[in-house]
Amino acid sequence: MKERDRNDGGVQIQLVDVRGSSAASYIDARLNFALEEGFEEIGKEMVQKCGYLPLAICLLGGVLREKKSIVEWESVNEHIKAAIYGVEERIDGVLNLSYESLPYYLKPCFLYMGILNEDETIGALELYTMWIAQGMISYENIGDKEDTLIDIAELYLSELASRSIVQVGINLDYDVASRNLKYNACKLHDVVRELCLKLGKREDFGALSLKYEGGKLSTLPREASSHMKIQHLAIHFRSEVEHEPAVACGEDTSKHIRSLRLTNLIKSNVFLFPPQSMVDLQKFKLLRDLVFVRFKFAGRKLPRGITNLVHLRNLRLEECELDKLPSSIRNLVYLDTLDLRLSKDVEVPNVFKEMLRLKHLILPFYDFENFGNYRVRLDEGVNELETLLWLDSRCHELECLYCFHSSKLRLNK
């Protein structure tokens, strides 16, 4: 068996060539239990049906991971016969079988990843908070009572990774006692992502990932909504937005949306977010998850309407340009995560004592040559935090660190 590793976007991917090798030995190594009489022949037959394709074989190993009897292996083999025809269909067949074998609680988490861009690597914590915002993480399925929802989300991702559905990057300094995360990033193989989108349509999940490369922005979601009810929308911008004098039917495309992810992919440019006449955030009344990546806002102010989104659980402003958050951010009483990572010199109001559900606070960076005497006291209302990242003692006053439930707090300062 030949193996080679390559690093793709921070996630280590193992490529395996099993042609001409003992297929059953490969599967046995993945499943870590002894071969019994009959397993080897069935294993060889299934690998042959996968066309010796590494991705399909990895996914097959994920399906077989929980199958301990010869009867279960024979059942999987029979399903492969029904599902696999040509090369592309062969992979889709194994992917579909892998999806169908998932526990019910993992299926929406996997389908939600369909909003990721092609070949995109996402931070593990970012993914966890998005899952949590949608109510996809529950104590009912796995984990212990002392675990946080982030801990449960990590168990979910670990299970998806063990089935070779999701590729993950592992933190080299992972340590259970220090409360840091086991995984730092994850991604979907392009073939897996394509099937994720197909399955999402079949299941009426409503996840949609769009690319904007110029033209009328309003036509993108409007045209897509004529074919499906959009609930989770991601728009990846490869061009600055062209001005539109008026946008009609905006409410039709926004009234069902529960998550909105807007990402600027122009690496050399942070461009202006479209005006309210084009993207009226007040209309997204059911929104629970709102993400902006690499935008600047008109007047360097948070876009109007965001602080009226009463169902919002996750607000991420990554590498965005604005002067401050308004004190009306206190209106977001259900907010679980406030994430300002890589944004600079953003004043954060001291309203946390009124945001009783806030669990994860990722603070911006500050350049004190330009920023002045800004200070904010974080003692009040933040003792329930589970994540506090980029704490800066030059402007963040936190005198009672002992007040935190330290056994649960992830702290970076």
Side-chain angles (χ1 to χ4, degrees):
M1 177 162 43
K2 298 178 182 178
E3 297 184 2
R4 60 189 176 92
D5 290 341
R6 68 184 175 91
N7 190 279
D8 190 353
V11 177
Q12 191 178 58
I13 304 166
Q14 187 179 65
L15 302 177
V16 183
D17 178 11
V18 298
R19 187 185 294 274
S21 68
S22 170
S25 297
Y26 171 69
I27 293 175
D28 177 50
R30 285 186 56 81
L31 303 178
N32 195 30
F33 66 89
L35 289 171
E36 299 176 15
E37 185 177 356
F39 278 99
E40 184 168 358
E41 290 305 315
I42 296 174
K44 287 180 177 179
E45 186 177 344
M46 286 189 284
V47 169
Q48 184 180 16
K49 290 173 183 176
C50 291
Y52 302 98
L53 297 169
L55 173 62
I57 294 167
C58 283
L59 290 162
L60 176 61
V63 173
L64 295 174
R65 179 171 170 269
E66 301 296 332
K67 313 296 183 186
K68 306 298 185 184
S69 71
I70 192 73
V71 173
E72 291 175 308
W73 275 48
E74 288 174 343
S75 176
V76 171
N77 193 23
E78 288 299 317
H79 281 90
I80 290 177
K81 284 183 180 179
I84 297 173
Y85 297 100
V87 173
E88 189 171 331
E89 292 82 359
R90 189 175 287 140
I91 295 176
D92 280 3
V94 179
L95 283 168
N96 187 69
L97 185 60
S98 190
Y99 171 77
E100 293 299 337
S101 71
L102 288 177
Y104 71 92
Y105 55 86
L106 290 181
K107 288 182 177 179
C109 294
F110 171 62
L111 295 179
Y112 188 75
M113 295 182 74
I115 67 172
L116 299 181
N117 193 24
E118 185 177 342
D119 203 36
E120 177 182 356
T121 298
I122 185 172
L125 180 61
E126 298 159 48
L127 180 64
Y128 299 158
T129 55
M130 292 162 69
W131 281 346
I132 291 169
Q134 298 303 319
M136 295 176 181
I137 307 300
S138 171
Y139 291 104
E140 296 178 2
N141 306 307
I142 55 177
D144 301 319
K145 289 184 178 179
E146 64 268 20
D147 287 337
T148 67
L149 287 179
I150 291 289
D151 296 327
I152 303 297
E154 183 138 275
L155 292 174
Y156 280 27
L157 182 60
S158 185
E159 192 162 352
L160 288 171
S162 72
R163 295 166 181 265
S164 300
I165 292 177
V166 176
Q167 299 169 332
V168 293
I170 298 178
N171 276 319
L172 297 179
D173 61 347
Y174 170 65
D175 176 35
V176 175
S178 67
R179 301 294 303 165
N180 61 341
L181 297 175
K182 180 178 181 179
Y183 304 113
N184 55 33
C186 62
K187 65 179 293 187
L188 295 179
H189 188 287
D190 289 346
V191 177
V192 178
R193 178 180 173 274
E194 286 301 315
L195 189 78
C196 180
L197 294 172
K198 291 179 186 177
L199 290 168
K201 289 181 181 178
R202 187 187 78 185
E203 303 283 346
D204 197 26
F205 187 73
L208 184 64
S209 179
L210 300 172
K211 294 179 182 178
Y212 175 81
E213 298 178 312
K216 290 187 176 181
L217 175 62
S218 61
T219 61
L220 276 179
R222 193 186 309 159
E223 290 176 0
S225 65
S226 64
H227 306 290
M228 63 186 295
K229 183 174 75 173
I230 304 172
Q231 296 190 71
H232 311 288
L233 175 63
I235 303 178
H236 308 281
F237 293 84
R238 297 186 180 274
S239 171
E240 293 197 35
V241 179
E242 298 178 12
H243 178 70
E244 296 179 53
V247 179
C249 304
E251 187 173 355
D252 292 337
T253 61
S254 62
K255 61 183 180 181
H256 301 295
I257 293 179
R258 295 164 59 90
S259 60
L260 180 63
R261 193 167 184 257
L262 305 170
T263 306
N264 168 17
L265 298 180
I266 306 174
K267 297 297 184 183
S268 61
N269 187 20
V270 177
F271 62 79
L272 189 65
F273 185 73
Q276 186 179 10
S277 61
M278 296 175 62
V279 181
D280 189 355
L281 293 168
Q282 296 181 97
K283 293 182 177 180
F284 293 80
K285 297 187 182 300
L286 297 182
L287 206 61
R288 298 167 67 99
D289 181 23
L290 178 59
V291 175
F292 299 93
V293 180
R294 303 189 72 250
F295 287 99
K296 56 185 176 183
F297 302 115
R300 297 184 63 88
K301 296 180 180 179
L302 194 69
R304 288 180 57 190
I306 290 179
T307 58
N308 294 326
L309 300 174
V310 295
H311 297 288
L312 203 62
R313 264 70 170 175
N314 180 32
L315 175 61
R316 177 151 59 97
L317 304 167
E318 179 178 335
E319 206 173 339
C320 289
E321 295 184 6
L322 69 164
D323 288 333
K324 62 182 180 180
L325 294 180
S327 58
S328 57
I329 200 83
R330 60 162 62 94
N331 296 340
L332 303 177
V333 294
Y334 292 105
L335 199 67
D336 178 85
T337 303
L338 178 59
D339 187 343
L340 298 163
R341 71 183 64 212
L342 301 180
S343 295
K344 291 184 178 180
D345 300 340
V346 181
E347 291 188 29
V348 180
N350 190 13
V351 295
F352 298 114
K353 63 182 178 181
E354 299 172 60
M355 303 175 72
L356 302 179
R357 295 175 182 255
L358 192 67
K359 299 294 184 185
H360 312 286
L361 178 60
I362 295 91
L363 294 162
F365 295 137
Y366 296 97
D367 180 356
F368 281 84
E369 292 183 2
N370 304 320
F371 200 58
N373 297 317
Y374 163 71
R375 295 287 185 277
V376 62
R377 188 177 180 86
L378 296 174
D379 288 340
E380 291 187 290
V382 296
N383 59 306
E384 293 293 329
L385 284 179
E386 296 169 8
T387 305
L388 179 57
L389 301 182
W390 313 124
L391 184 69
D392 191 328
S393 60
R394 296 174 298 176
C395 60
H396 302 134
E397 298 178 7
L398 184 61
E399 296 180 1
C400 64
L401 186 59
Y402 65 87
C403 295
F404 287 90
H405 297 303
S406 56
S407 63
K408 295 184 176 182
L409 180 66
R410 293 180 176 89
L411 179 66
N412 182 305
K413 56 183 178 177

